[in-house]
Amino acid sequence: MKKISSLLGFLLCTYAMATPHSVSGPDGRLTVTVSDDARYSVIFDGKTILQPSPLGFRSSRGDFSSVGVTDAQTSVEEGTYTLDRIKKSSISYRYNVLSCTLTNDAGDSVKVEFRVGDNDIAFRYVIDNPKWASIRIFEEMTGFDFPRHTTTFLTPQSDAMIGWQRTKPSYEEFYFLDKPLSEKSQYGHGYTFPCLFKVGDDGWALVSETGVDSRYCGSRLSDWNEPGGYKIEFPMPEENDGNGTVEPAFAVPGATPWRTITVGSTLKPIAESTVTWDVVEPRYDSGHTYKYGKGTWSWILWQDGSINYDDQVRYIDLAARMDFQYVLIDNFWDRNIGYDRMEELVRYALSKGVDVFLWYSSSGYWNDISQCPLNKMDSPVERKAEMKWLREIGVKGIKVDFFGGDKQETMRIYEGVLSDADDYGLMVIFHGCTLPRGWERMYPNYVGSEAVRASENLVFGQHECDIEAQNATLHPFIRNAVGCMEFGGCFLNRYLNKSNARGPVRRTTDEFELATAVLFQNPIQNFALAPNNLEDAPAYCLDFLRGVPTTWDDIRYIDGYPGKYAVVARKKAGKWYIAAINADETPYSLDLKAIANEFGSPATLTVLHGGASREMAVNYKAKDGSRAGKANLLDLAQNDGAVIIIG
Ligand code: CA
């Protein structure tokens, strides 16, 4: 530090800078300040969200873990874009920018760039030293030092090479809610993004990253350190069965991925944030137009035994009768149906107006997966031959499963699959995978990723059904707030298997399940319906699923507390769909009058609740202005939900 101080003294005289260096968002409520010794802090509405937190890294081009700010520039980044697969279809953004030059005691410089919006911060290191053509990052110092009264809503990074056929980590762990900072993570490897924090009564903060592609690894947060807080961690050496480095490298000039912090006094800015996509660029243009919609998926309830010609015909027919656009045919189709009969099956689907997604294992050599097709997606040689065949027989997309972790090696596989698939007009869904990090805007043919404890777990065991509602209340504010989420849910079976007569019991109401079709966002929703639902599910449920959109123009947060309840509205073509679910023992009172007031005060609302869909008049004459009359309150018991449609 002494060396740095004397260096700084010299540099400060040289540059005669004002210190410290600050930038606020356009409305002035969110401020990032960088001190001369390169620590950044975050203030929102006068409250401390992050205490001075470290910046810097160690690299093949020198040690930048102890640096001083030797120059600072401000500018503005603003723009608009349209995107058909995220929370909003038309986005305009404005960020005030602070770019600080960080100089180490060898006299070498890199930059850190902060973009600050009204509620969002994105920052990254920019390397543009003309002496260098490449750089390898050994370790990042980048930290997040929250005030000690903060509580956490986090999911741990798992050990590498554990779980089903040694396929973890795959972002499918449990969440731990409202825990103190000091609590150790389940596996001792910290936490996967996104990470939600409640800074006492001072606000909420969601920390994540975006813009990760073949030029970096996926990162995560460490366990809490005292002093210092959380720190960016790179993948574990054991990931990808030990193959591939944990130290990312990229060409210079270049930059690290963006780390993002979204801050609000409520969860509203987090649920509505688009920072994940604002700061990234498309990696390539597509010559294809992709369509989104809904699909059926036999595997989720009928499992491996259903991957045969006749059962797939049943699910294609189900898709046709539901007016769905897609059928997803899962693992073992190559073995059980065969490449020749697959051509026949795809022809049958197309004759019914249903397009086809086919499943592939990503591996490869990095786990013990025996579900096939195998070894078709890990190398460009086999991949392109396979994709050529897929295009020839009229398949529209692939679902690629069981990836090897977060190393740069694996990020190259994701990007290679996406880029090659686009050449053949194929869309891509990822399962058993990492969090998408801005990919909806970066890759035109990307659809969505699992990276969550998804619907399959409900089928696997009763405990998961018991906590289905609790988990569902998390996603609008955590996982699904930063990326499309391929959950594959919306069950109308009471028992979660083919017989619908025994096995894990669904605890939620039908309207709860319908609400998740709005609450969970993915541009193609593969719903967990079964052919028997055509006969045994209420007609208003099927009608709702026939009509519910899967792409949206806008989102509005209404209410929520992770683990307890969530109320979120999405808009499509002038119509608002308000989804409400309750996981708490205390009934949740949904104030219909307040909802109506929020969306243009219509005389009636379409309310799906209590086993029916009905038009309900809203009593605007209630005298108590702050609270609706009794008739305007809809009580949601634990595991219950509702959908309200306006317009
Ligand atoms: Ca999975």
Side-chain angles (χ1 to χ4, degrees):
M1 263 335 270
K2 215 180 231 166
K3 225 161 145 192
I4 282 291
S5 308
S6 58
L7 173 77
L8 276 175
F10 164 73
L11 292 166
L12 285 175
C13 295
T14 310
Y15 290 90
M17 299 203 38
T19 59
H21 322 286
S22 279
V23 62
S24 296
D27 72 3
R29 297 171 68 188
L30 181 64
T31 301
V32 171
T33 300
V34 181
S35 63
D36 271 335
D37 66 346
R39 291 180 172 268
Y40 77 104
S41 49
V42 176
I43 306 278
F44 182 73
D45 276 348
K47 314 268 177 55
T48 296
I49 302 298
L50 281 184
Q51 301 173 160
S53 301
L55 294 168
F57 55 82
R58 295 188 305 105
S59 79
S60 58
R61 299 299 176 179
D63 188 342
F64 294 89
S65 63
S66 186
V67 286
V69 177
T70 51
D71 187 28
Q73 305 286 336
T74 56
S75 58
V76 174
E77 275 286 334
E78 56 188 335
T80 60
Y81 61 96
T82 58
L83 195 53
D84 52 9
R85 282 161 291 158
I86 61 167
K87 303 168 190 182
K88 301 179 187 183
S89 58
S90 183
I91 299 104
S92 60
Y93 60 86
R94 183 187 162 98
Y95 294 95
N96 292 331
V97 181
L98 174 68
S99 176
C100 296
T101 301
L102 309 177
T103 303
N104 66 9
D105 52 9
D108 285 321
S109 294
V110 297
K111 290 187 179 118
V112 62
E113 176 186 353
F114 285 90
R115 295 189 184 179
V116 182
D118 287 343
N119 296 91
D120 295 297
I121 298 163
F123 68 103
R124 64 175 178 175
Y125 302 102
V126 178
I127 320 297
D128 58 1
N129 191 319
K131 291 191 290 186
W132 311 330
S134 65
I135 190 167
R136 182 155 55 103
I137 309 291
F138 300 155
E139 179 191 15
E140 284 195 35
M141 278 53 227
T142 318
F144 304 84
D145 194 355
F146 285 96
R148 299 301 180 267
H149 59 284
T150 301
T151 57
T152 69
F153 298 74
L154 301 174
T155 185
Q157 178 65 302
S158 80
D159 289 329
M161 309 312 294
I162 63 165
W164 171 250
Q165 306 292 64
R166 303 194 306 142
T167 53
K168 288 188 179 188
S170 50
Y171 289 65
E172 295 172 294
E173 305 307 309
F174 289 107
Y175 276 86
F176 296 85
L177 307 177
D178 241 341
K179 301 293 184 191
L181 290 168
S182 57
E183 181 146 311
K184 288 290 163 210
S185 66
Q186 184 182 354
Y187 298 94
H189 306 304
Y191 304 95
T192 54
F193 288 128
C195 298
L196 181 66
F197 301 94
K198 184 172 189 288
V199 188
D201 295 329
D202 294 345
W204 295 85
L206 187 72
V207 176
S208 194
E209 66 176 356
T210 189
V212 179
D213 57 28
S214 59
R215 297 167 293 188
Y216 217 76
C217 59
S219 302
R220 65 182 194 279
L221 288 190
S222 68
D223 267 24
W224 180 256
N225 301 298
E226 197 66 70
Y230 299 104
K231 174 179 169 302
I232 289 286
E233 290 280 2
F234 289 160
M236 299 168 277
E238 299 81 8
E239 290 176 37
N240 213 41
D241 209 15
N243 188 262
T245 178
V246 300
E247 294 172 349
F250 54 91
V252 173
T256 66
W258 295 98
R259 305 290 157 40
T260 62
I261 310 166
T262 301
V263 182
S265 54
T266 69
L267 292 162
K268 182 178 171 70
I270 289 169
E272 299 178 2
S273 173
T274 57
V275 67
T276 299
W277 306 280
D278 295 348
V279 295
V280 301
E281 300 278 336
R283 291 282 282 150
Y284 49 82
D285 289 328
S286 180
H288 305 277
T289 304
Y290 297 107
K291 71 169 190 204
Y292 308 102
K294 291 162 278 197
T296 59
W297 177 32
S298 76
W299 184 87
I300 186 62
L301 279 168
W302 290 17
Q303 301 272 290
D304 288 351
S306 69
I307 311 300
N308 61 71
Y309 195 97
D310 292 343
D311 281 346
Q312 292 312 309
V313 165
R314 290 186 179 98
Y315 270 80
I316 290 164
D317 292 346
L318 173 63
R321 287 193 57 190
M322 289 300 296
D323 303 329
F324 289 179
Q325 294 79 6
Y326 291 103
V327 66
L328 165 62
I329 303 177
D330 220 279
N331 56 193
F332 294 125
W333 59 263
D334 59 331
R335 196 185 70 187
N336 297 357
I337 299 172
Y339 277 77
D340 289 345
R341 288 206 82 199
M342 202 47 127
E343 297 185 19
E344 194 185 322
L345 187 60
V346 172
R347 267 201 305 279
Y348 176 77
L350 294 176
S351 79
K352 291 287 199 170
V354 175
D355 276 314
V356 178
F357 268 72
L358 287 189
W359 186 97
Y360 285 87
S361 169
S362 87
S363 47
Y365 52 82
W366 46 80
N367 56 41
D368 301 329
I369 282 300
S370 59
Q371 276 98 336
C372 48
L374 281 161
N375 307 309
K376 299 288 190 187
M377 288 293 146
D378 58 315
S379 131
V381 175
E382 284 80 16
R383 187 160 67 216
K384 288 191 283 190
E386 191 75 3
M387 289 174 173
K388 184 167 177 287
W389 173 75
L390 289 168
R391 182 177 63 183
E392 279 164 8
I393 69 166
V395 168
K396 294 301 192 299
I398 53 176
K399 168 185 171 179
V400 189
D401 208 336
F402 299 127
F403 285 82
D406 283 337
K407 288 178 180 174
Q408 187 170 9
E409 180 87 4
T410 307
M411 296 300 146
R412 292 190 188 116
I413 301 270
Y414 285 111
E415 188 168 272
V417 168
L418 284 160
S419 170
D420 285 346
D422 184 65
D423 288 350
Y424 295 90
L426 296 166
M427 291 181 273
V428 183
I429 293 169
F430 294 124
H431 264 234
C433 56
T434 194
L435 179 78
R437 292 159 163 96
W439 294 357
E440 296 85 350
R441 193 169 180 209
M442 292 159 67
Y443 304 108
N445 55 328
Y446 169 74
V447 174
S449 301
E450 186 183 32
V452 66
R453 263 191 106 74
S455 60
E456 62 192 14
N457 292 289
L458 302 169
V459 174
F460 295 156
Q462 187 59 50
H463 174 65
E464 303 275 347
C465 293
D466 296 344
I467 59 169
E468 177 185 357
Q470 187 191 71
N471 279 327
T473 63
L474 308 175
H475 304 317
F477 315 119
I478 308 178
R479 165 65 183 84
N480 214 180
V482 302
C484 291
M485 185 174 80
E486 232 275 320
F487 189 83
C490 213
F491 293 91
L492 292 177
N493 270 16
R494 179 50 55 191
Y495 295 90
L496 299 192
N497 56 31
K498 186 172 178 179
S499 74
N500 197 17
R502 62 192 166 275
V505 187
R506 175 163 63 87
R507 301 297 189 197
T508 61
T509 62
D510 287 347
E511 293 81 10
F512 179 104
E513 295 294 310
L514 302 184
T516 64
V518 177
L519 211 55
F520 299 168
Q521 182 257 323
N522 205 59
I524 293 179
Q525 298 266 26
N526 290 305
F527 288 136
L529 296 183
N532 55 284
N533 295 143
L534 288 171
E535 319 304 329
D536 60 21
Y540 77 94
C541 293
L542 299 178
D543 288 344
F544 171 79
L545 291 175
R546 284 190 178 97
V548 69
T550 63
T551 59
W552 304 97
D553 295 328
D554 206 356
I555 181 172
R556 199 174 298 175
Y557 164 90
I558 308 288
D559 199 4
Y561 194 94
K564 293 183 176 174
Y565 52 88
V567 188
V568 171
R570 295 190 197 273
K571 186 185 193 185
K572 178 71 173 185
K575 230 182 219 192
W576 281 99
Y577 294 74
I578 298 106
I581 58 169
N582 181 36
D584 204 47
E585 281 173 26
T586 312
Y588 180 82
S589 260
L590 190 63
D591 185 338
L592 295 179
K593 187 180 164 193
I595 297 255
N597 286 341
E598 177 91 19
F599 298 100
S601 303
T604 61
L605 310 171
T606 304
V607 178
L608 281 70
H609 182 250
S613 168
R614 66 194 129 213
E615 295 297 307
M616 287 180 72
V618 178
N619 172 20
Y620 287 100
K621 289 177 186 147
K623 290 219 172 84
D624 179 354
S626 66
R627 213 177 130 79
K630 181 86 177 124
N632 291 320
L633 296 177
L634 201 63
D635 269 352
L636 303 183
Q638 191 172 31
N639 298 320
D640 195 9
V643 178
I644 295 158
I645 304 170
I646 297 176

